[in-house]
Amino acid sequence: MNMVNAINNALDIKMAEDKSVIVYGEDVGVEGGVFRVTEGLQKKHGVERIFDSPLAESGLAGTAVGMAAAGLRPIIEMQFSGFSYPAFNQIISHVSRMHNRSRGKYKQAIVIRMPYGGGINALEHHSESAEAIWGHIPGLKVVIPSNPHDAKGLLISSIESEDPVIYMEPKRIYRAIKQEVEESKFAVPIGKAKVIHKGEDITLVAYGAMIREAQKAAALAKKEGISVEIIDLRTIYPIDRETIAESIKKTGRIITVTEAPKAFGVSAEISAIANEEAFLFLEAPPKRVAGFDTIVPLPKGEHHYLQTAEKILYEIIRTVKY
Amino acid sequence: MNMVNAINNALDIKMAEDKSVIVYGEDVGVEGGVFRVTEGLQKKHGVERIFDSPLAESGLAGTAVGMAAAGLRPIIEMQFSGFSYPAFNQIISHVSRMHNRSRGKYKQAIVIRMPYGGGINALEHHSESAEAIWGHIPGLKVVIPSNPHDAKGLLISSIESEDPVIYMEPKRIYRAIKQEVEESKFAVPIGKAKVIHKGEDITLVAYGAMIREAQKAAALAKKEGISVEIIDLRTIYPIDRETIAESIKKTGRIITVTEAPKAFGVSAEISAIANEEAFLFLEAPPKRVAGFDTIVPLPKGEHHYLQTAEKILYEIIRTVKY
Amino acid sequence: MFKEYNPIKKKRLQIIDNDGKVINQKLMPKLDDKQLIKAYKDMLFARTADLMIVNYQRQGRIYTYPPNYGQEAISGAVAQIMRDDDWLVPAFREMGAYLAKGASLKELFIYFMGYEDGSLFKNAKNFLPISVPISSQLLHASGIGYEINYNNKDQIVYTFVGDGGTSEGDFHEALNFAGVWKAPVIFIVQNNQYGISTPFKMQTASDGIAIKALAYGIEGIQVDGNDFFAMYKAVEESAKHASGGNGPVLIEAVTYRKGAHTTSDDPTKYRTKEEEEKWDETDPLKRLKAYLIANKLWSEKEEEKIVPQYKKEIDRQFIEAENYGEYALEDVFKFMYTEMPQDIKNQMMEHEKFLKWKEARS
Amino acid sequence: MFKEYNPIKKKRLQIIDNDGKVINQKLMPKLDDKQLIKAYKDMLFARTADLMIVNYQRQGRIYTYPPNYGQEAISGAVAQIMRDDDWLVPAFREMGAYLAKGASLKELFIYFMGYEDGSLFKNAKNFLPISVPISSQLLHASGIGYEINYNNKDQIVYTFVGDGGTSEGDFHEALNFAGVWKAPVIFIVQNNQYGISTPFKMQTASDGIAIKALAYGIEGIQVDGNDFFAMYKAVEESAKHASGGNGPVLIEAVTYRKGAHTTSDDPTKYRTKEEEEKWDETDPLKRLKAYLIANKLWSEKEEEKIVPQYKKEIDRQFIEAENYGEYALEDVFKFMYTEMPQDIKNQMMEHEKFLKWKEARS
Ligand SMILES: Cc1ncc(C[n+]2csc(CCOP(=O)(O)OP(=O)(O)O)c2C)c(N)n1
Ligand SMILES: Cc1ncc(C[n+]2csc(CCOP(=O)(O)OP(=O)(O)O)c2C)c(N)n1
Ligand SMILES: [Mg+2]
Ligand SMILES: [Mg+2]
């Protein structure tokens, strides 16, 4: 399975299992979504359960709030994360708050799926990475898989979560990675990072499409005699401080890799956590390998912006030599 | 002048000076805004130049984009920062991007004013502090004054900025601080923090209404024999790394005070900067005195949430003893 | 009726005049005496409470409150028709509807005293909390409407918004979604002529609000919102329409906010005494009362007797609310998620440590 | 004309039939032969370019592109009327209008090849860049309209959106603001029956889009968007209306997207051949050409002669665009602010250091 198949499979399983699960969004029905993630599901589960919505993202999120309050488990798709912003008010004012506001009376078992990130030679607004913004909003969970297996397991967990989940899909690797993935249902827990590569000298924290780059960087670093530990964050919020802290306590050095803008981003949070959880173990300043504080350039300029294995290696070497 | 007077005064000066400056927003006209910040300006400058808009925040920001492209310098008011979110798409997709997208052809000399922050016993959504979100968006400048003098000077700079500015007003201290403020025009530069209290043992970085708390905490700390340096950040983005770094190099310790949620917030960015700019000088982990990662409680619970001088003192002592 | 009052005809549904005389017998809803008296009492109770809350607020015993004064017929009509199972998706200025849904005044007081607990509405089924971001709640109503159709339920959603709220994008999206989905939602716009200080003519260039229904292919009707009978009739027909699988209805209830926008507002800044007096003539309680008295269903004496009883009851609930007690630290954290994430637990524990330190110091 | 075609009458403005025969002489716009030929040539050029771009894309020489195929009469009409000083606030599917405004194909190619520089439009006055977030541009148009009134300018704003785009909240807010401000904006909805794969009937329950004008108290008109003359007439009258201080107009141009949504889309997934063929009969170029030929203003021979010339010219500009050159690192940073903040400068310098290191290593 590639990631597209895995997500489709998770949706299929949960729709089959639970009639309260419904899926809607722009073009998710007949067409199966612009990335074909929901392909075939309308045929199988019917137009009442998976359907095209009018072109209105606030409408998507706002109606989901009502459906969830009434007991459904809506899964909505934002066609691109860069087009989720018209829904911002509904998400920050209601999706994330209704449960608290009603003192637990009204659940918000909502999943908001959105492809995100750069590297696909797309038009403006199609390459955004705004996970830090969602992470900063109390009441949301924010999840990002880096491979088909996790994509499936995390989506199952997200759909089963009683609380709202922003489920961000690294579209750049939608079809880039194939894995054997169990056909039957399994869950990957939200809130747990995973050490996907053991190492001794330095910790790399990454997620989504950056995992691939981190892995390549680790391979390059190995040739330089540097042993890299890689943590796949998997959940942006609630963030897994323990796994990060433990790794730093071993390696003494940490770099966060993210394609989002640097200022006020995920990498800053991880620097702060490094300080709070493992200050005395730090042998070099926690480093941020992040996007520039600029707009993602159009395709011809995107290579300047994207984080590469070499850029990571460069910072690994600088940090180890510090 | 208190801060309300100072802002009114800055608006008045710029409106008198420059016909391209216009002001609009919900209830800013006849009524002079729900906080009376624009009181009297419609009488003076006319209904064409300062007027009530329909109740629609996306409309406010979106029309400002067009006006600014056509050469006006619109100043719009979001009645509360918690109601700026319907405008989020316009701000992130256009206000912050039009200049870059058009390669400098179309300026976005827009000021978006918004009262923010807690402590006024308000209804839900009236106590938000989302400056980190604005700070994370490339293309915006984000400014927060802590006193009438700076409020005026920073607003003058914001209106004169060729680039868009999110100008956040700590409504809790709208009328709490009175100062002698020059009646004539002066500017406080965007992007420059200010050391407002010299000290030796520890640095407090704060802004907006938290400056008062920081000052009280510094006074309390003094009694404990701790000398505190206070930096008033004044600009969230572009953030003044130099002033922060210099102070840490002297004190070796830093605490950021903010009323916004902690995770992925301003205080994380400052922790990251501390690492990047002054790692070898750090004698204790940079600390975040921030809001909980929760929704600001309604008035009866707000005391739990708000940062107080005592809470800051508590963390000062812990950090100094570290 | 929707044909007869199609908004393009620019007619406003009215059944009694300002003196309570029936001027449209044909459309007079069938209500028996008991029902009529109950309706009036509901409105009277709501108004009594409303005026008292404004006083409580002046005494500093409650925070900001948005008075309903002058708009009671709208909620009053809904109150008589809305069923237990129906949904109520409120804005913030329709107290009569909340009470009908099973909310207690005490809970509302607790809410406006600054506790989230006041949104729990223990005995109210299918009642969302008050929604502050203008118009955003309308989409929730459309979503619930989808659920009702999806599960073939016999329910209707009642939702409220103000005239100012019709300018928000969410108003448009909510009516559009509901139209496409044929969702059984009754959108009630309380056109009280102002959004805070902004007069209706600055909200939109359209001729009223009911006409906006045409943009969504749904029924719309403009109603004299200060005429209880007209409101009753409109809501009754709308409920039939929506229940019958015919989709949503937009009701424009033309009314006037006799009080301030909220207790922090001063309307003398932006409107005239003359205007207020003109609208006073249309007062909804006055009109229904005149009708009842003319029909020997009510008397000044009864009113003089009952109002003090109401006041006592309201005050009792208010004092109960005032004794609601401490806002526990845990309440800040407890409902953020169904289960508290470790991070949030830690933040709470750290804060408790600080509180202990603080106590020890003092 | 706006009265005659008031949307509540459910009439669609049409002037020629599918064979190019005039069926509405009364409203036939007055255009001389030269103007007519120019209009057709503009449309022919746009279509030729459009089809070539789709091919370039297949060859991997340009990125995603949204074809205009089938919708050329709409931009074609605007192109004849829009003045140098007027504003054009585009969506992304009205190439003919861009060219009329002074944009070059070369610039458009540069844009779709992935350079921001392609949005500079050096010779185009008052032309905002292509706007990708659906409907968001409409508010910019309303804002510009305010500026025009504010400074008493003699200008009009032309802005475009699709049928799908009418569902967005920004559509509502833009028309509402423009209505209240009496802004001289012409909102042109290209109702091409689909928003990507979503058919119009799933966007809204309303009977067409023109009727939505009533919600804003502005003029609206439904036009056969594949009829050049009808579009011309509608735009001409709208421009007069807006110039005269009467506020905005909403034009619904009923058309069909003959091509794919973008070059990444496959319409066979969601629509039938029969439907496509039915619409083929209404093709705007075919119809105008038939009119011209019948009036001896054009011939197949002329067309055969001119199309290859167009192709050559288009290819020349395309190749020039292909040689546009490197995207300098600085271009990522340079336009973020009027002056680069130190932080951003530092980020650029740090990246240059890395690039040097990388070069040294290899
Ligand atoms: C999105 C949003 N913007 C602004 C506000 C501030 N605000 C509260 S009430 C109000 C006016 C509402 O007017 P209207 O819709 O007519 O309702 P009314 O108060 O008259 O009942 C405003 C602007 C808000 N609550 N939400
Ligand atoms: C806010 C937003 N949401 C989603 C998209 C993705 N998207 C691009 S074009 C499109 C459909 C537009 O349909 P319509 O408005 O009818 O215009 P058309 O493409 O038919 O010209 C969608 C959903 C977007 N660009 N912006
Ligand atoms: Mg109102
Ligand atoms: Mg379309």
Side-chain angles (χ1 to χ4, degrees):
Chain A
M1 281 188 199
N2 62 29
M3 193 180 280
V4 164
N5 309 140
I7 296 170
N8 183 288
N9 180 232
L11 293 170
D12 191 20
I13 290 172
K14 286 305 301 177
M15 290 187 84
E17 187 181 287
D18 183 351
K19 212 207 137 199
S20 66
V21 174
I22 73 163
V23 176
Y24 61 111
E26 293 152 17
D27 307 293
V28 301
V30 173
E31 173 163 78
V34 293
F35 288 105
R36 308 286 181 263
V37 173
T38 54
E39 193 152 44
L41 295 178
Q42 190 179 67
K43 269 222 175 93
K44 205 156 160 188
H45 299 286
V47 69
E48 307 269 282
R49 298 195 54 205
I50 168 160
F51 54 90
D52 296 339
S53 72
L55 206 178
E57 292 76 12
S58 187
L60 279 173
T63 53
V65 169
M67 291 186 193
L72 294 181
R73 305 182 89 86
I75 301 170
I76 57 175
E77 176 180 306
M78 299 286 158
Q79 203 159 75
F80 287 82
S81 70
F83 304 133
S84 64
Y85 305 130
F88 195 72
N89 185 43
Q90 285 290 345
I91 297 173
I92 195 169
S93 297
H94 295 298
V95 172
S96 71
R97 284 170 169 263
M98 184 60 86
H99 183 264
N100 181 67
R101 178 185 301 141
S102 71
R103 306 275 89 182
K105 190 171 175 185
Y106 295 110
K107 298 269 179 236
Q108 292 285 288
I110 297 170
V111 180
I112 306 183
R113 293 179 41 238
M114 50 175 90
Y116 87 100
I120 63 155
N121 289 324
L123 288 167
E124 202 190 342
H125 309 284
H126 289 72
S127 307
E128 324 287 306
S129 301
E131 58 275 13
I133 293 179
W134 304 121
H136 187 56
I137 299 175
L140 300 177
K141 296 178 183 175
V142 185
V143 161
I144 302 183
S146 72
N147 60 67
H149 173 273
D150 288 2
K152 175 169 173 181
L154 284 168
L155 185 51
I156 298 280
S157 295
S158 299
I159 302 173
E160 294 183 348
S161 164
E162 298 298 328
D163 303 305
V165 179
I166 308 286
Y167 181 92
M168 301 179 75
E169 304 172 3
K171 58 179 168 304
R172 185 181 177 183
I173 54 168
Y174 258 155
R175 297 173 188 275
I177 304 170
K178 277 200 175 163
Q179 285 176 332
E180 288 288 322
V181 179
E182 263 179 73
E183 280 288 343
S184 60
K185 184 172 133 182
F186 64 87
V188 169
I190 295 173
K192 288 265 160 271
K194 188 179 177 189
V195 177
I196 56 167
H197 192 277
K198 293 246 172 223
E200 302 300 325
D201 301 329
I202 187 164
T203 301
L204 285 187
V205 177
Y207 52 91
M210 290 302 100
I211 289 292
R212 262 200 337 182
E213 304 310 311
Q215 285 170 325
K216 283 185 216 157
L220 293 173
K222 201 175 164 191
K223 288 193 200 150
E224 312 275 332
I226 304 169
S227 160
V228 175
E229 177 142 313
I230 304 177
I231 296 176
D232 183 349
L233 200 54
R234 301 202 293 195
T235 298
I236 303 297
Y237 190 86
I239 201 165
D240 184 351
R241 300 170 76 99
E242 286 68 33
T243 302
I244 298 167
E246 255 172 56
S247 183
I248 301 175
K249 284 178 187 166
K250 182 170 69 174
T251 64
R253 294 175 160 87
I254 181 166
I255 292 178
T256 305
V257 184
T258 158
E259 44 178 320
K262 180 184 283 181
F264 307 96
V266 170
S267 52
E269 178 66 24
I270 290 173
S271 286
I273 289 173
N275 286 331
E276 288 160 6
E277 303 285 344
F279 182 71
L280 295 175
F281 298 84
L282 287 173
E283 289 165 35
K287 181 80 205 169
R288 305 189 265 178
V289 175
F292 307 128
D293 289 324
T294 67
I295 292 156
V296 186
L298 290 187
K300 279 292 196 306
E302 211 183 358
H303 65 285
H304 294 308
Y305 184 93
L306 294 174
Q307 304 313 314
T308 58
E310 271 174 316
K311 178 87 177 268
I312 301 167
L313 175 67
Y314 169 71
E315 297 294 359
I316 288 175
I317 292 172
R318 296 214 307 170
T319 304
V320 169
K321 284 202 187 143
Y322 185 84
Chain B
M1 281 188 198
N2 62 29
M3 194 181 280
V4 164
N5 309 141
I7 296 170
N8 183 288
N9 179 234
L11 293 170
D12 191 18
I13 289 173
K14 286 304 302 176
M15 290 187 84
E17 187 180 286
D18 181 353
K19 212 207 138 201
S20 67
V21 174
I22 74 164
V23 177
Y24 62 110
E26 294 153 15
D27 307 293
V28 302
V30 173
E31 173 164 77
V34 293
F35 288 105
R36 306 287 181 262
V37 173
T38 53
E39 194 153 44
L41 295 179
Q42 191 179 66
K43 269 222 175 94
K44 204 156 161 187
H45 300 285
V47 69
E48 308 270 283
R49 297 196 54 204
I50 169 162
F51 54 91
D52 296 340
S53 72
L55 206 178
E57 293 77 11
S58 186
L60 279 172
T63 53
V65 169
M67 290 186 193
L72 294 181
R73 305 182 89 86
I75 302 170
I76 57 176
E77 176 179 304
M78 299 286 157
Q79 204 159 73
F80 287 83
S81 69
F83 304 134
S84 64
Y85 305 130
F88 195 72
N89 185 44
Q90 285 291 344
I91 297 173
I92 194 170
S93 297
H94 294 299
V95 172
S96 70
R97 284 169 170 265
M98 184 60 86
H99 183 263
N100 181 67
R101 178 184 303 140
S102 70
R103 306 276 88 181
K105 189 169 174 184
Y106 295 110
K107 298 269 178 236
Q108 291 286 289
I110 298 170
V111 180
I112 306 183
R113 293 179 41 237
M114 49 175 91
Y116 87 100
I120 62 155
N121 289 324
L123 289 166
E124 203 192 342
H125 309 284
H126 289 71
S127 307
E128 324 287 306
S129 301
E131 57 276 13
I133 292 179
W134 305 122
H136 188 54
I137 299 176
L140 301 177
K141 296 179 183 174
V142 184
V143 161
I144 303 183
S146 72
N147 61 67
H149 172 273
D150 288 0
K152 174 168 173 182
L154 284 168
L155 184 50
I156 297 281
S157 294
S158 299
I159 302 173
E160 294 183 348
S161 163
E162 298 297 330
D163 304 306
V165 179
I166 308 285
Y167 182 93
M168 301 178 75
E169 303 172 3
K171 57 179 168 304
R172 185 181 180 183
I173 54 168
Y174 258 155
R175 294 172 189 277
I177 304 169
K178 277 202 177 165
Q179 286 175 332
E180 289 288 323
V181 178
E182 263 179 72
E183 281 287 343
S184 59
K185 184 172 134 183
F186 64 89
V188 169
I190 295 174
K192 289 263 158 272
K194 188 179 178 188
V195 177
I196 57 167
H197 192 276
K198 293 244 171 225
E200 302 300 325
D201 302 329
I202 187 165
T203 302
L204 284 187
V205 177
Y207 52 90
M210 290 302 101
I211 289 292
R212 263 200 334 185
E213 304 311 312
Q215 286 168 325
K216 284 185 216 157
L220 292 173
K222 198 173 167 191
K223 289 193 200 149
E224 310 275 334
I226 303 169
S227 161
V228 174
E229 176 141 315
I230 304 177
I231 296 176
D232 183 348
L233 200 53
R234 301 203 293 196
T235 298
I236 303 297
Y237 189 87
I239 201 165
D240 183 351
R241 301 169 76 98
E242 286 68 34
T243 302
I244 297 167
E246 255 172 55
S247 183
I248 301 175
K249 285 179 187 166
K250 182 169 68 173
T251 64
R253 294 176 161 87
I254 180 165
I255 292 178
T256 305
V257 184
T258 155
E259 44 178 322
K262 179 185 285 182
F264 307 96
V266 171
S267 52
E269 178 65 24
I270 290 172
S271 286
I273 289 173
N275 286 329
E276 288 160 5
E277 303 286 343
F279 182 72
L280 295 175
F281 298 85
L282 287 173
E283 289 165 36
K287 181 82 205 169
R288 303 189 267 179
V289 176
F292 308 127
D293 290 323
T294 69
I295 292 155
V296 187
L298 290 187
K300 278 292 197 307
E302 210 183 358
H303 65 285
H304 294 307
Y305 185 94
L306 294 173
Q307 305 313 314
T308 58
E310 270 172 315
K311 179 86 176 271
I312 301 167
L313 175 68
Y314 169 70
E315 297 294 359
I316 288 174
I317 292 172
R318 296 215 307 170
T319 303
V320 168
K321 283 202 186 143
Y322 184 82
Chain C
M1 189 189 70
F2 290 118
K3 255 198 196 134
E4 192 180 336
Y5 286 85
N6 187 320
I8 58 175
K9 297 191 183 154
K10 305 193 179 182
K11 277 169 71 174
R12 182 180 300 177
L13 177 64
Q14 216 179 344
I15 291 180
I16 55 171
D17 68 12
N18 285 348
D19 302 321
K21 272 210 232 46
V22 178
I23 54 173
N24 188 344
Q25 189 61 53
K26 196 187 80 188
L27 292 178
M28 183 73 178
K30 279 168 202 68
L31 284 150
D32 65 29
D33 295 354
K34 237 174 87 185
Q35 287 174 311
L36 282 172
I37 294 167
K38 175 180 175 298
Y40 180 70
K41 280 181 165 176
D42 284 353
M43 285 163 59
L44 185 62
F45 183 79
R47 174 166 294 187
T48 311
D50 195 75
L51 296 173
M52 283 176 76
I53 302 171
V54 173
N55 266 327
Y56 293 135
Q57 202 281 336
R58 289 213 186 102
Q59 296 162 13
R61 294 166 74 189
I62 196 166
Y63 296 116
T64 313
Y65 172 76
N68 291 233
Y69 188 33
Q71 306 184 199
E72 295 90 347
I74 302 164
S75 290
V78 170
Q80 311 313 312
I81 297 169
M82 181 171 52
R83 299 163 303 179
D84 246 30
D85 245 25
D86 289 337
W87 278 87
L88 176 59
V89 178
F92 48 78
R93 204 187 296 282
E94 48 277 328
M95 185 169 52
Y98 312 161
L99 298 177
K101 199 83 201 78
S104 66
L105 269 184
K106 181 180 159 187
E107 286 168 305
L108 285 171
F109 293 150
I110 289 171
Y111 175 75
F112 285 110
M113 283 172 183
Y115 301 87
E116 283 81 2
D117 287 0
S119 285
L120 197 49
F121 303 128
K122 284 216 186 68
N123 298 319
K125 213 182 139 185
N126 298 342
F127 177 25
L128 288 189
I130 281 175
S131 177
V132 175
I134 299 294
S135 261
S136 58
Q137 69 279 4
L138 304 178
L139 278 163
H140 311 163
S142 302
I144 294 170
Y146 189 89
E147 190 274 340
I148 291 170
N149 286 347
Y150 180 75
N151 284 320
N152 282 308
K153 291 180 175 169
D154 176 26
Q155 292 175 341
I156 286 172
V157 190
Y158 293 89
T159 189
F160 286 82
V161 69
D163 48 314
T166 65
S167 297
E168 289 279 6
D170 275 0
F171 171 85
H172 176 72
E173 299 191 13
L175 272 72
N176 195 49
F177 272 71
V180 173
W181 291 348
K182 283 196 176 297
V185 183
I186 305 182
F187 295 97
I188 301 168
V189 182
Q190 302 200 67
N191 183 353
N192 65 5
Q193 312 307 320
Y194 288 90
I196 308 186
S197 72
T198 307
F200 180 57
K201 69 167 188 303
M202 301 194 67
Q203 287 298 343
T204 181
S206 78
D207 199 350
I209 289 161
I211 189 128
K212 294 181 195 279
L214 275 67
Y216 312 105
I218 66 173
E219 297 295 352
I221 183 167
Q222 192 180 67
V223 184
D224 179 345
N226 286 358
D227 173 347
F228 168 78
F229 294 105
M231 274 311 301
Y232 187 95
K233 180 71 182 171
V235 173
E236 190 181 33
E237 292 291 327
S238 298
K240 262 188 232 157
H241 178 89
S243 289
N246 307 301
V249 179
L250 171 64
I251 298 178
E252 177 186 3
V254 180
T255 183
Y256 193 72
R257 194 196 73 212
K258 292 179 72 161
H261 169 69
T262 67
T263 45
S264 344
D265 174 51
D266 173 12
T268 63
K269 287 226 157 211
Y270 52 82
R271 64 189 198 190
T272 63
K273 209 151 194 73
E274 295 77 64
E275 181 186 295
E276 292 182 9
E277 281 166 5
K278 197 199 81 190
W279 279 93
D280 274 346
E281 292 165 25
T282 72
D283 183 90
L285 268 87
K286 189 202 76 168
R287 285 161 74 183
L288 180 54
K289 186 168 149 186
Y291 174 89
L292 293 180
I293 290 177
N295 287 275
K296 309 251 174 331
L297 294 170
W298 194 251
S299 67
E300 287 292 356
K301 236 169 93 186
E302 260 168 301
E303 183 143 338
E304 272 158 34
K305 213 180 85 192
I306 209 164
V307 168
Q309 290 171 19
Y310 286 171
K311 284 193 175 160
K312 224 171 121 186
E313 170 61 13
I314 292 160
D315 211 47
R316 188 187 65 74
Q317 293 200 42
F318 191 84
I319 288 163
E320 267 191 50
E322 274 185 317
N323 292 317
Y324 188 66
E326 275 302 297
Y327 188 119
L329 176 64
E330 204 200 11
D331 284 3
V332 177
F333 299 89
K334 201 160 62 176
F335 297 106
M336 286 305 302
Y337 298 88
T338 303
E339 275 174 64
M340 254 197 247
Q342 193 55 46
D343 234 39
I344 288 192
K345 263 188 215 153
N346 291 345
Q347 293 189 355
M348 189 169 83
M349 276 155 34
E350 273 174 38
H351 195 71
E352 276 164 348
K353 263 193 228 159
F354 155 67
L355 292 174
K356 278 204 192 108
W357 172 89
K358 187 175 144 184
E359 221 182 276
R361 255 174 70 93
S362 66
Chain D
M1 191 189 70
F2 290 117
K3 255 196 196 135
E4 192 180 335
Y5 285 86
N6 188 318
I8 57 174
K9 297 191 184 155
K10 305 195 179 181
K11 276 169 70 174
R12 182 180 299 176
L13 177 64
Q14 216 179 346
I15 290 182
I16 55 171
D17 67 12
N18 285 348
D19 302 321
K21 271 208 228 54
V22 178
I23 55 175
N24 189 342
Q25 188 62 54
K26 195 186 82 187
L27 292 178
M28 184 71 180
K30 279 170 202 65
L31 283 149
D32 64 29
D33 295 354
K34 236 174 88 185
Q35 287 174 310
L36 282 172
I37 294 167
K38 175 178 176 296
Y40 180 70
K41 279 181 166 175
D42 284 352
M43 284 162 60
L44 185 62
F45 183 78
R47 174 166 295 185
T48 309
D50 196 73
L51 295 174
M52 283 176 76
I53 301 172
V54 173
N55 266 327
Y56 292 135
Q57 201 282 334
R58 290 214 185 101
Q59 296 163 11
R61 295 166 74 189
I62 196 166
Y63 296 116
T64 313
Y65 171 76
N68 291 233
Y69 187 32
Q71 305 184 200
E72 295 90 347
I74 304 164
S75 291
V78 170
Q80 311 314 312
I81 296 169
M82 181 172 51
R83 299 163 303 180
D84 245 31
D85 244 25
D86 289 337
W87 277 86
L88 176 59
V89 178
F92 49 77
R93 206 187 295 284
E94 47 277 327
M95 186 171 50
Y98 311 162
L99 298 177
K101 198 83 200 77
S104 66
L105 269 184
K106 180 180 160 188
E107 286 168 305
L108 286 170
F109 293 150
I110 289 171
Y111 175 75
F112 284 111
M113 284 173 185
Y115 301 87
E116 284 81 1
D117 288 359
S119 284
L120 196 49
F121 303 127
K122 286 216 185 70
N123 299 318
K125 212 180 141 186
N126 298 341
F127 177 24
L128 288 189
I130 282 177
S131 176
V132 175
I134 300 291
S135 263
S136 57
Q137 70 279 3
L138 303 178
L139 278 162
H140 311 164
S142 301
I144 294 170
Y146 188 90
E147 190 274 340
I148 291 170
N149 285 347
Y150 180 75
N151 284 321
N152 282 310
K153 291 180 175 170
D154 177 26
Q155 291 175 342
I156 286 173
V157 190
Y158 292 90
T159 188
F160 286 82
V161 69
D163 48 314
T166 65
S167 297
E168 288 279 7
D170 276 0
F171 171 85
H172 177 72
E173 299 190 13
L175 272 72
N176 195 49
F177 272 71
V180 172
W181 290 348
K182 282 198 179 293
V185 182
I186 305 183
F187 295 97
I188 301 168
V189 181
Q190 302 201 65
N191 183 353
N192 63 5
Q193 313 306 321
Y194 287 91
I196 308 188
S197 72
T198 307
F200 180 57
K201 71 167 188 301
M202 301 194 68
Q203 287 298 342
T204 182
S206 78
D207 201 349
I209 289 161
I211 189 126
K212 294 181 195 278
L214 275 68
Y216 311 104
I218 66 174
E219 298 295 353
I221 184 165
Q222 191 181 67
V223 185
D224 179 346
N226 287 357
D227 173 347
F228 168 78
F229 294 104
M231 275 309 303
Y232 187 96
K233 181 71 183 171
V235 173
E236 189 182 32
E237 292 291 326
S238 300
K240 263 188 229 155
H241 178 88
S243 290
N246 307 301
V249 179
L250 170 64
I251 298 178
E252 176 186 5
V254 179
T255 183
Y256 193 72
R257 193 196 73 214
K258 293 179 71 162
H261 169 68
T262 66
T263 44
S264 343
D265 175 49
D266 172 11
T268 63
K269 288 225 157 211
Y270 52 82
R271 65 187 196 190
T272 63
K273 207 151 195 75
E274 295 77 65
E275 182 187 293
E276 291 182 10
E277 281 166 6
K278 198 198 81 191
W279 279 94
D280 274 346
E281 290 165 26
T282 71
D283 182 90
L285 267 86
K286 189 202 74 165
R287 285 161 73 183
L288 180 54
K289 186 168 147 185
Y291 174 89
L292 294 180
I293 290 178
N295 286 276
K296 309 252 174 329
L297 295 169
W298 192 249
S299 67
E300 286 293 355
K301 235 169 96 185
E302 260 169 300
E303 185 144 339
E304 273 159 34
K305 213 180 85 191
I306 209 163
V307 168
Q309 289 170 20
Y310 286 172
K311 284 192 176 160
K312 223 171 122 186
E313 170 60 15
I314 293 159
D315 210 47
R316 189 186 64 75
Q317 293 200 42
F318 191 83
I319 288 163
E320 267 192 50
E322 274 185 318
N323 291 317
Y324 189 64
E326 276 303 294
Y327 188 119
L329 176 64
E330 202 200 13
D331 284 3
V332 177
F333 299 89
K334 201 160 63 176
F335 297 106
M336 286 304 303
Y337 297 88
T338 303
E339 274 173 65
M340 255 198 246
Q342 192 57 44
D343 235 38
I344 287 191
K345 262 188 216 153
N346 291 344
Q347 293 189 355
M348 189 169 82
M349 276 154 35
E350 274 173 39
H351 196 69
E352 277 164 349
K353 263 194 228 159
F354 154 66
L355 291 174
K356 278 204 191 110
W357 171 87
K358 188 175 143 184
E359 221 181 276
R361 254 175 70 90
S362 64

